[in-house]
Amino acid sequence: PCHASDGEILIGHPACLSGSYAKAGEQAVGGIQAILDWVNNTRGGIAVEGRKASLVYKYYDCESKKESVTSLLERLITSDKVHFTFAPYSSGLTLAGAPIAEKYGMIYMDHGGASDKIFQQGFEYVVQTIGPGSLYHAGTLEMVKAIDPSAKKVALAYADDEFARSVMKGAEERAAELGFEIVFNRTYPAKVTDLTPLLSDLKASNPDVIIGGGHFEDGQLLNRQLADLGIQPKLLSLIAAATLPAFGEALGDLAEGVMGPSHWEYGVTFSEKGAKKLGKMWIGPNQEEFVALFKKAVGKDMIPDYHAAEAGAAVLALVLAVEKADSLDPDDVREALGDLEFMSFYGGWNIDETGKQVGHSMVDVQWQKGQRVIVWPVAAQTGKPLYPKPDFK
Amino acid sequence: MPLLKCEHVSKRFGGMVAVDDVSFEIMSGELMAIVGPNGAGKTTMFNLINGVFLPDEGHIWFAGVDVTRFPSYKRAHLGMGRTFQIPRPFASATVQENIAIGAMFGAAGGELNVEEAMEVADEYIDLIGLKAHRNKPAGGLTPIEKKLVEIARALAMKPRLLLMDEAMAGMNPKDIDQMVTFIRHIRDVEGIAVVAMVEHIMRAVAGLAERVMVMHQGAKLVDEPTREALNDPRVIEVYLGRQAEEFNAKG
Amino acid sequence: MFFEQLSGNLVQGLILGSVYGMATMGLSLIFGVLQVVNVGHGAFIMVGAFTALILFQSLGVPPILAIPVALLIGMCLGMIFYYGAVKPLVSPSGAGIRKVGRRQLGKAAGVFVAVMIAMRILSGVLDLNIAFSIFIAIILMYAFLVYVYGGRRQEKGPELATLLVTFSLGVILEEVVKQIFTSEARGYNWDLGKLDLGFTVLPFTKILASGGSLTVAVLLYLWFNKTRAGMAMRSVVEDSVGARVCGVNVDWQYALSFSLGIGLTVTSGVLLTMFIPVGINPYMGGGYTLKAFVIAVLGGLASPYGAFFGGVVFGLLENGSYTLLAALPGGEPFALTRFFSFVMLLVILLIRPTGLLRRKG
Amino acid sequence: MRGSGKYLPIVPVLAAYALLLLYGLAAPGKWQLVAQLAFYCALGQAFNLFMGMTGYVDFGYVAFLGVGTYGMAVTISSLSDGGLGLGIILIGFLAAAVFSTILAMAVGAVALRLRGAYFAIATIGVNEGFRYLIEGARIWNGADGIIFSRHLKTALGRKMAMTVSTFWADIFVFGVAVLAAVLTLYYLRNKVGYALLALREDEDAAKVMGIDVTRYKIIAFITSAALAGLLGASGWALKLTYVYPPDVFEIHYTVEAIIIVLLGGAGTLMGPIAGGLIYGVSKYFLAITLPGFQLLIFAPIIIAIIVIFPEGLVGILKGKVHGTSLEKFVI
Amino acid sequence: MLKVENLQSGYGPMQVLWGPDIQVKPGTVTSLLGPNGAGKSTLLWTILGAVRPWEGKIFFEGEDVTFEPTHKKADRGLVMVPEGKHLFKEMTVYENLLMGAYRKGAQEEREANLELVYSLFPILSERRTQRAGFLSGGQQQMVTIGRALMARPRLLMMDEPSQGLAPKIVMEIFETVEKLKEEIGLTILLVEQNASASLEAADYVYVMHEGVIMAEGTPEEIEASHEIKEAYLGI
Ligand SMILES: Nc1ncnc2c1ncn2[C@@H]1O[C@H](COP(=O)(O)OP(=O)(O)OP(=O)(O)O)[C@@H](O)[C@H]1O
Ligand SMILES: Nc1ncnc2c1ncn2[C@@H]1O[C@H](COP(=O)(O)OP(=O)(O)OP(=O)(O)O)[C@@H](O)[C@H]1O
Ligand SMILES: [Mg+2]
Ligand SMILES: [Mg+2]
């Protein structure tokens, strides 16, 4: 599959539309479709091998299951003859498809597998857009140190899985560097429904800062039960939960002041101008446009979250790489991706030689009066941090 | 040496003593019946002999081995076969397979492979006259046919002691007589089985048993040759009642 | 400190356990009467959770008042599912499909095609997507088969087959709810204040949830043991032939207990959200199904109030053991509490192979 | 049933697998589909060996696949520098079989004393408990799992590692399926099969017939578990080159196994193949034509099939060929 | 009281009843005899509605009840003592008896009936709080009969009530049957293997074989016919 013969470039995706990752999967599909719309209709396609080609998106539902990933991926590659493939959501499923992509020498865009370990396996065609887990809390802790040098005690309470562990390991190292003291460091099983015993234990350590979470459901639960038990930290930061719009809806007042690191957020002000200032290449719709395209794509009044943004940004990376390589040959495109550095609504994009994302930095988001406000880094701020966080009622 | 020997066997359920210090013996080749009023502990005694329950006190010897704590499959290997009060053939297996299972795993077991066991089964099918049903699932048979299959299955185990719990309940007198003849025939001709049975049908008891043990309230009341036992006033009092006259009148 | 935490966790475990127990009673009831293991149990809990959520968020109905609504919804669902899918497999008097030949299947396929065409025409008006029309057409085709050719099959279907049916019913509920509400995790916020015990804090909603569970358990116990209708249902459990000759309408008792079991399960979904009012999503039931299975076995499987008891034991074990396991060096105490409670399950089953409350038969 | 004819039913089984394999080799780009179907068939076949023959449902069955996966993963990730070449895979399979057998013996000793639903649910406890033990005690990296694609490449070279993951692993899955079928038939035709038949029908009566029921249950249980271990080692470990505990101790796979076996017909030899193919093909087809809606369509279809054909498809077939010359091929 | 015309039924594809006609007059004991597998139990189950009639008619007290469901018939006072016990094993003896009075119309006289049952089977009174499953076979049979009496039946159908009972009790059961007939005017349809006892108790006898009625008459007539006794009754 090397030529855009009939002017179409096919992107194949074994998406997760049902099963445990359905939510993230739906977002990713919407994000990809939104950017496709932009590339084909606003940008006018992709210039490759002397002609304009448009993007076509082909996706199946892998049900969030590893067996289906391999067969659907192979079908996309061999029967549908797609030119590029996207990985399903999560590190595990990304890994499940990797051997097939490698076998066929197919570019495999990882937009939802944050594990650093994927890139230690010697895969040649896996390219990451989501940032590695270890960097999530760097900013958060810097923020605390900057605002409140007296806050010392940090508690970590998080889901026992590969992703949350790598995030928390990063946080732990960062905390040590910045002179914090880790007073509590415990995990809970991934699909937990009651955290009370863990939180009673945490309460005893009387922390200033609580960092935790892992997924959306347990993040909600953690917040809720901290409130139930009357634990009042000065800062509460939850990964993969607090940044999503539904978080505030679900928790109402209890979300006030809760923070979370995010790859992207509705409200981040990356712009073409900003990119120019930094001397970076810019591509893609601006944020408002992206949100509008996303809503059109999913046919619902739904705000895109970072799952959508990541997947969309991965499409943009492909567009630039194809044009740069002026070829659809996976090896050429892979090389071009390796050299690529750009900015988009999603922020910076740049990978290292293993394919791992290193050019993207995160923002910290905080719920303030029912709105999500970007409070850190200062450069991206849309509002001042609320610190210490107001007590739970 | 007796084939089966029970010594001071007792079994309690909660506070109630179902079998109370019972001792008795069965000799090889003997036809013996256990009778007694309802709730006297006969079935419980049976289950103790057979290993479905373990006794709280006392000892049981079978074929010279102390089997008191043996699980029932080990007793079967020593040559103990039984039928159930309500027949329990393996419903989805054919008649032939049912009987072959007995041959495969019973006292004869260990030596027979599947093919040989099937052949043995065919012999017993002829014996009980169920040839027409050989390849039918046992679940589809009439109750009486099920009973026959169950007896054949127990016999195919080549038991030295055959235990039958109310095998003739629900049969009409003609069938009972046939069954009595059949079992006597097995004992005499095949020479394998000693039968101990629990029965309430006097026609069967009188026709088959040489000796009768009568139980009452868990304990042994009488253990004598059939005629004497059934004429014992205590037995008439607690068990036979008015039917004793009828029975004695007949023979 | 240690004891303060331990007692805090035990109190929390007790409260949680009572809700767990409530969430298991429906499972036990259905198993006890119909010998059906409801593998889709969690999906019904999910329906209850959504009932509470929707009533509270869009109508402002406090969850405690959602209980009768949930019971009603659950019983209706139970009736529909019983007559539609479960009865053909379990009912001794047989309402299964007598015998499916080519002709019947042909006609059913005709119904399918007709419905598809109708939906195609209607889809412009109703704004249904294609998948949903196929779904409805399949259901109608199936209903056609069951009701038109539903006959007098006497032999019982293999009991295992009901596993597939209940599993699929759960999947259908999950998928339908997903289509309507998306797979977003939701929550609501019903605040009644808290009770501070010193060593732990209990929101009144939790206490209310636990009290509600206890009330339901007691009512169920009384109903089963003291009323004529409850005795009738028990008699069906014991011996359906015997019940029949006593004049009990056995088929109806089956339907009723299935529907009551589902009703209780949906209701428990409401109580669970009072306990944990977040994370409400179409797939939330899976974890509860596993727990309910274990609790049901602890309590003796066929006994609904045994299930309640089992739930309390399980809650105490799960929460109480944390404090002990956290005192051990290394390891992750929370995951180990799960390990510990499952080990306890096995130990209990070794000592009492038929659960805590069930006598050996 | 006498003589040489008694193993005839293996013929259609082997033919079915051979056809499936040939299709995969011949049709371009269908290999992974065929591999997925083979996985479902093998899963059903191995599960059926215990469930179909004893009537006991092991809800925790997936735990054996899980430890098998770990057996392979641990072997490869710790011995990759040993210069063992392809031998490492052999050792991996051995480890998988040993791990799953040991777990089966431990579980069997406890759970096989229980009956009916108590057994089924106790085994769920085993699966969940084992998973949380691995996570909680941080055994084999705990929840971090093992990602060993790199190790496989070190041990076998990049090219070979890729071929193993995308081709040989699937061939091994076929091997497990065939092995399971052969063992099933062998058991069915020998004393084990009759003992299991008896205990499935009436455990107490079986005991009285002289059948050491525990022993025969354990035999079937361990065989079935060891096959599951091998299946995990090939279909999951070698193929996907990573293992996360929540992924391999996921109870959903047990449910899938039950669906496959029942769709095909429990206790039959061909059933798991029929069930696996129907299950796999319908899911694949629906995932492609109606992505996101496939379960909504699939679930009512399952209900319809099971209500209309409660004995499963091969169960129906058995009834149809009864009394014809084909009878001796179908069980 | 009960009239059955040309009744046909069976299980699945297998037909068992091939059109027997029988009649039961009020206040009598009607006995149904026949070899094993003749279809006697099937006839009772079909009358009760637990086995679906294929053809024919069933009239109870003049009304056509052919397709009425079992519980409706029970409400009319059509009560059965089934073969094979079928009592509620986990319930106490007392609860079992209470269940007997479940049908409409039996509730009011519950206490009186209980007295009657306890006087017939004193052992049940002793064991009233015991679980029925732990009783001996014969004691369970007593519970089953007692339970049926608790329903205050208009027509009592007894399927082999003496099975598994000690000879002394068998006699008592037959005495009870006669007593019930005489004292409370109960109508009874009796199926028994114990032909001689059954003939003694009956007012009228049907002999059934392979699903059809081969002979009928008063006990004396049947007693007198050697062919019938030889061929169908085995005495
Ligand atoms: N599992 C049990 N638990 C409690 N009590 C029991 C149990 N089995 C039997 N019993 C009691 O033990 C006594 C003896 O019962 P058993 O069944 O041995 O009597 P039986 O002599 O066989 O009577 P029948 O002739 O009526 O069958 C009875 O009173 C019965 O209630
Ligand atoms: N539930 C059932 N399913 C299928 N066949 C049955 C069922 N019950 C009875 N049969 C069959 O129906 C026929 C008549 O049986 P039925 O029990 O009515 O005879 P019966 O005259 O009562 O015999 P018995 O004296 O042994 O009680 C028999 O061939 C029997 O195998
Ligand atoms: Mg007895
Ligand atoms: Mg009968």
Side-chain angles (χ1 to χ4, degrees), chain E residues 131-200:
Chain E
R131 265 156 210 272
F134 294 156
L135 296 176
S136 83
Q139 292 162 346
Q140 293 188 8
Q141 185 65 25
M142 297 175 201
V143 176
T144 323
I145 296 172
R147 188 179 66 186
L149 293 178
M150 289 295 292
R152 187 41 65 96
R154 300 187 56 76
L155 172 64
L156 180 63
M157 303 195 285
M158 300 174 101
D159 197 357
E160 314 215 2
S162 75
Q163 205 182 91
L165 291 181
K168 191 173 156 190
I169 311 284
V170 173
M171 287 298 139
E172 287 171 17
I173 293 271
F174 281 104
E175 279 160 19
T176 310
V177 166
E178 276 171 46
K179 213 158 81 191
L180 289 171
K181 183 179 85 172
E182 255 125 57
E183 287 176 12
I184 59 174
L186 195 59
T187 316
I188 293 170
L189 176 56
L190 180 67
V191 170
E192 249 304 326
Q193 283 301 344
N194 191 336
S196 45
S198 184
L199 286 170
E200 209 170 295

Side-chain angles (χ1 to χ4, degrees), chain A residues 61 63 65-68 71 74-75 78 92 95 100 102-103 120-124 160 162 165, chain D residues 29 31-32 36 138 143-144 147 149-150 153 158 166 236 242 247 253 256 283-284 287-288 292 294:
Chain A
D61 181 4
E63 268 175 51
K65 291 186 60 198
K66 46 191 187 293
E67 287 79 18
S68 298
S71 62
E74 187 180 61
R75 181 189 166 92
T78 59
L95 279 164
I100 305 294
E102 294 280 304
K103 176 185 171 191
Q120 295 159 11
Q121 304 300 321
F123 293 127
E124 290 176 352
D160 193 2
E162 208 270 340
R165 274 184 179 276
Chain D
W31 179 252
Q32 291 304 324
Q36 192 183 357
R138 309 278 301 143
D144 278 335
I147 303 173
S149 191
R150 178 166 52 96
K153 286 172 191 144
R158 189 181 167 77
T166 56
W236 283 351
Y242 76 94
D247 226 31
Y253 289 101
E256 265 182 340
K283 264 183 52 166
Y284 181 78
I288 284 167
Q294 71 266 48

Side-chain angles (χ1 to χ4, degrees), chain C residues 29 33 216-234 253 256-257 260 264 304-305:
Chain C
L29 179 63
V33 180
V216 174
V218 169
L219 285 180
L220 201 65
Y221 181 85
L222 292 177
W223 186 75
F224 258 113
N225 288 288
K226 303 286 174 225
T227 70
R228 181 165 168 266
M231 290 260 288
M233 194 171 283
R234 262 170 80 209
Q253 292 296 332
L256 194 64
S257 47
L260 186 62
L264 283 173
Y305 23 91

Side-chain angles (χ1 to χ4, degrees), chain C residues 156-170:
Chain C
K156 254 185 151 183
E159 272 169 27
L160 282 174
T162 58
L163 286 184
L164 287 203
V165 168
T166 52
F167 171 76
S168 306
L169 291 177

Side-chain angles (χ1 to χ4, degrees), chain B residues 179-199:
Chain B
M179 188 62 96
V180 166
T181 322
F182 175 67
I183 291 167
R184 280 194 171 266
H185 169 82
I186 296 286
R187 203 264 311 245
D188 298 341
V189 181
E190 303 266 312
I192 49 167
V194 168
V195 181
M197 58 168 192
V198 164
E199 202 56 82

Side-chain angles (χ1 to χ4, degrees), chain C residues 280-343:
Chain C
I280 300 169
N281 72 83
Y283 299 118
M284 67 185 277
Y288 291 115
T289 309
L290 284 188
K291 273 194 191 133
F293 281 178
V294 170
I295 290 167
V297 158
L298 271 181
L301 206 50
S303 135
Y305 23 91
F308 186 78
F309 184 61
V312 172
V313 171
F314 194 80
L316 287 175
L317 279 178
E318 219 183 54
N319 269 5
S321 61
Y322 180 91
T323 324
L324 305 175
L325 291 166
L328 296 177
E332 292 296 346
F334 211 133
L336 287 176
T337 58
R338 304 303 165 89
F339 172 66
F340 180 75
S341 43
F342 288 118
V343 168

